[in-house]
Amino acid sequence: MTASGGAVLLRPYGKALRLARLTARHKGRHLFVPLDHSLTTGSIAGGRPYAGLVQDLIVAGADAIIVHKGRIRSIEPGAFVGAGLVVHLSAGTMHYADPNSKVLVGSVEEAARWGADGVSVHVNVGSATEPAQLRDLGLVAGECDRLGMPLVAMMYARGESLAATASQPRTLAHLACIAADLGADVVKLPYPGSRAAMREVVEMSPLPVYVAGGDPLGGLERTVELARDILGAGAAGLSFGRCIFDAHDPMAVTSAVAAVAAGVSQDALA
């Protein structure tokens, strides 16, 4: 895999192999579906069975699913024959006094035992607990290098000091630099609001950029339009969670977005 700016990222064979598995279904751009929200907010997707939701999303075209370690035991291993498994190592709930606080609740070694193709860590830059979260990202990155595990850094600008600039390209590019400097392989960022701004972020990022989708407020057509804008700006992929599992028909949205990721060329998107 190359960074958005074109630089080749040299990795150990094990890490490169796992990255290839994560992106095996579609060439070029990819769709990851994070389902870690259940720990933060409670039941997702209208409370439908978690394992069935995972299987449906994979059948519909998701390249990888992101879950917490405890959920894996309820999912048939065969479900991941057609998609990658990413174990999320960060946690925090909406009920805590500081909703931006995140702590590590798992290790890379645990994820490897579960058969993971990658792990992810959430960092809220600008939050009261930023130092601890940065430390955790750096420590996990070292463990990932030791065990040959790809690392996805989910980076957000949070806190009063960043309220006015959280979605600006330069702020998002800074988040990508933090992820790269601490050893991540892929960075997940929020959408900056337009294709032009997204392209600016991608051009400044030293890592492949995957972009969050947010709430499903606009329905299927708006979600597909958002996917086209993100990928048309040169992003490496999508990390669509709520706009998929909170949609009226998650499989239909997954299928439509996966088709955008898989079937449209860079020239056609631009």
Side-chain angles (χ1 to χ4, degrees):
M1 184 181 289
T2 61
S4 300
V8 176
L9 302 179
L10 301 178
R11 300 186 177 90
Y13 186 83
K15 183 176 282 195
L17 179 59
R18 287 187 171 97
L19 278 168
R21 289 173 181 160
L22 284 175
T23 56
R25 179 174 289 193
H26 302 136
K27 294 181 179 179
R29 272 70 56 81
H30 313 98
L31 170 62
F32 290 4
V33 182
L35 299 178
D36 55 282
H37 305 67
S38 58
L39 191 152
T40 305
T41 62
S43 296
I44 61 176
R48 65 182 296 180
Y50 198 99
L53 174 64
V54 169
Q55 292 177 334
D56 287 347
L57 296 179
I58 291 173
V59 169
D63 290 282
I65 304 293
I66 302 174
V67 300
H68 282 286
K69 61 183 180 181
R71 290 288 187 170
I72 302 171
R73 67 189 70 183
S74 69
I75 304 168
E76 288 292 332
F80 290 104
V81 170
L85 168 63
V86 177
V87 176
H88 195 48
L89 302 183
S90 301
T93 77
M94 62 187 289
H95 306 294
Y96 185 57
D98 179 8
N100 290 325
S101 177
K102 298 290 181 181
V103 297
L104 290 182
V105 292
S107 69
V108 180
E109 186 175 0
E110 279 184 293
R113 289 201 304 268
W114 280 109
D117 300 297
V119 298
S120 57
V121 172
H122 185 127
V123 176
N124 289 320
V125 173
S127 69
T129 56
E130 176 195 287
Q133 294 180 46
L134 292 176
R135 178 200 61 207
D136 289 345
L137 178 61
L139 291 174
V140 169
E143 196 177 0
C144 283
D145 283 343
R146 182 173 67 84
L147 296 175
M149 185 71 72
L151 172 58
V152 179
M154 301 183 178
M155 307 294 295
Y156 292 87
R158 301 273 165 82
E160 294 182 7
S161 65
L162 289 169
T165 60
S167 62
Q168 292 183 2
R170 191 160 295 278
T171 298
L172 297 180
H174 185 192
L175 298 182
C177 286
I178 294 170
D181 289 337
L182 292 181
D185 300 287
V186 173
V187 63
K188 173 184 175 180
L189 298 171
Y191 182 59
S194 71
R195 184 182 291 207
M198 187 76 254
R199 191 182 300 278
E200 188 176 349
V201 173
V202 169
E203 290 175 350
M204 288 190 286
S205 175
L207 293 176
V209 176
Y210 284 62
V211 183
D215 294 316
L217 299 179
L220 175 60
E221 291 185 3
R222 175 55 191 144
T223 301
V224 170
E225 180 184 352
L226 177 62
R228 291 180 63 85
D229 283 345
I230 291 169
L231 298 178
L238 311 166
S239 183
F240 280 13
R242 288 174 295 161
C243 61
I244 284 180
F245 63 70
D246 277 343
H248 175 69
D249 187 343
M251 285 191 72
V253 178
T254 302
S255 179
V257 172
V260 173
V264 184
S265 70
Q266 180 70 39
D267 289 342
L269 282 166

